[in-house]
Amino acid sequence: MMCHKKVDEEGVVALKEAEVLLVDNTFLTQIKDQLPKLQWAQGTWAGVEGLISHFKDKPKPTFPITRMVGENFSQLMAEYTVGWIISHERGWLKCKENQDKCEWVTEGNIESYRSLRDLTVGVLGLGNIGKEVARSLKAFNCTVHAYARSLPPVDKRTNNVDKYWCTGELQMFLKQCDYLVNIMPSTDKTRGMLGGETLKDAKKNAVLINIGRGDVIREADLIKALDSGWISAAIIDVFTEEPLAKENPLWKHPKVVITPHTAGASTARDVIDTFIANFRRYSQGLPVMYVIDWDVGY
């Protein structure tokens, strides 16, 4: 296993005979051409836009590279989503502000709030994380809508999604949802997908939660959507540039909650679980799972 981001020539020499590699994504880009016997590489990241960008104008690897996909990671992302929806609906951040001022206040959504069963939540992106988010929301009796690049076959659909939407139906999807949870990866087709005046079609008082990638909407477009009243709030964990610069206007925007890209923390457990599951398949001559598709970008 190699997890260093700086090439260690002695270490690379030791890997010349390796057929399988569990490796940091960035390190892999530096050593790929020095490992003639490599048959499969398991990356340690869930996001793969760095690899996609690196190989965009270069020959693609002749061996499969697989993403980290973990049940624990997906659950953490789902917990973040459900937790912030409840917090926003019940005004818990405002409660803390009132506590700091020693004020007993029962007004607005602190007292009159919606149950999750009253909400329609739209999940953009229905991979492993999106499916777990949908499952968790449905456990609280939410109405769950899902938006994906294409509709899944009927036999692959889940009871945790009440309605599926696909490319060409984004406008109608937005009109249905009290919360929009973006889990889309960063690809040529998703970058800027919610930008421009797209959110003008959102349901009244909709809230955007972004735990996918920051470039799904330009920050200027997000601020415009908030200031124009197209959406009522944004809970953002991912940004185009990280760390977020101190002078960035999002920090002090009254309708924005910021978390520092911590919605889901990658753990050694997730990486190892993914690797073991795939190594068993590899050892049995079966195709490995979660292979990066260079054409679609994830």
Side-chain angles (χ1 to χ4, degrees):
M1 175 177 177
M2 299 294 294
C3 293
H4 306 290
K5 294 188 178 182
K6 183 178 179 181
V7 173
D8 177 341
E9 295 301 331
E10 185 177 342
V12 173
V13 170
L15 293 172
K16 290 289 186 180
E17 300 298 313
E19 295 183 8
V20 175
L21 202 60
L22 173 57
V23 61
D24 175 271
N25 292 20
T26 301
F27 188 69
L28 178 60
T29 64
Q30 301 175 52
I31 65 172
K32 175 190 78 74
D33 296 327
Q34 303 176 58
L35 306 175
K37 296 188 178 181
L38 194 60
Q39 299 296 310
W40 157 52
Q42 172 66 59
T44 58
W45 300 4
V48 297
E49 58 267 23
L51 288 172
I52 297 294
S53 176
H54 177 82
F55 289 111
K56 184 174 183 179
D57 299 315
K58 299 181 179 69
K60 304 298 184 291
T62 57
F63 53 86
I65 302 175
T66 51
R67 297 177 289 113
M68 187 279 291
V69 175
E71 292 182 4
N72 184 62
F73 184 80
S74 297
Q75 180 171 332
L76 292 174
M77 300 283 267
E79 289 172 359
Y80 179 98
T81 301
V82 174
W84 274 110
I85 291 175
I86 295 173
S87 177
H88 186 77
E89 284 298 311
R90 295 187 174 223
W92 284 346
L93 292 181
K94 185 64 177 177
C95 284
K96 184 59 173 70
E97 291 179 14
N98 295 337
Q99 178 185 341
D100 292 341
K101 296 181 289 186
C102 302
E103 294 181 353
W104 183 280
V105 179
T106 56
E107 61 184 23
N109 63 335
I110 292 175
E111 181 179 37
S112 300
Y113 46 81
R114 295 178 293 185
S115 165
L116 269 68
R117 70 167 60 246
D118 300 324
L119 302 175
T120 296
V121 180
V123 178
L124 293 99
L126 209 62
N128 292 75
I129 297 171
K131 289 174 183 175
E132 178 60 20
V133 170
R135 188 198 67 77
S136 299
L137 290 166
K138 184 52 69 176
F140 285 96
N141 299 307
C142 286
T143 298
V144 179
H145 288 205
Y147 180 89
R149 185 167 53 93
S150 58
L151 293 177
V154 174
D155 62 338
K156 298 293 184 181
R157 298 184 186 185
T158 169
N159 292 332
N160 296 320
V161 173
D162 297 286
K163 185 170 177 59
Y164 287 91
W165 304 80
C166 66
T167 303
E169 300 177 323
L170 182 59
Q171 182 180 19
M172 290 303 300
F173 167 81
L174 294 174
K175 291 180 183 295
Q176 314 301 315
C177 304
D178 298 298
Y179 282 80
L180 301 164
V181 184
N182 176 58
I183 317 176
M184 290 282 193
S186 177
T187 70
D188 290 341
K189 292 184 178 180
T190 63
R191 281 188 283 276
M193 188 177 76
L194 297 180
E197 297 192 348
T198 300
L199 291 177
K200 196 172 186 178
D201 292 315
K203 186 176 181 179
K204 184 179 179 181
N205 295 323
V207 176
L208 173 65
I209 298 177
N210 190 4
I211 55 175
R213 284 295 180 261
D215 58 11
V216 74
I217 181 170
R218 291 176 58 250
E219 289 168 6
D221 291 341
L222 174 59
I223 291 172
K224 180 179 180 180
L226 291 163
D227 292 345
S228 300
W230 301 341
I231 58 175
S232 65
I235 298 164
I236 310 297
D237 187 61
V238 288
F239 304 88
T240 305
E241 297 292 335
E242 297 179 357
L244 196 64
K246 289 187 176 181
E247 62 272 16
N248 193 297
L250 289 176
W251 281 114
K252 296 184 178 180
H253 198 289
K255 296 181 180 179
V256 174
V257 172
I258 290 172
T259 57
H261 204 147
T262 52
S266 299
T267 65
R269 168 183 160 189
D270 281 323
V271 174
I272 294 302
D273 286 349
T274 303
F275 177 70
I276 289 174
N278 260 338
F279 187 73
R280 285 173 179 158
R281 294 180 64 86
Y282 176 84
S283 300
Q284 296 168 13
L286 299 172
V288 288
M289 303 178 290
Y290 319 126
V291 176
I292 295 174
D293 187 322
W294 303 104
D295 292 327
V296 300
Y298 56 88

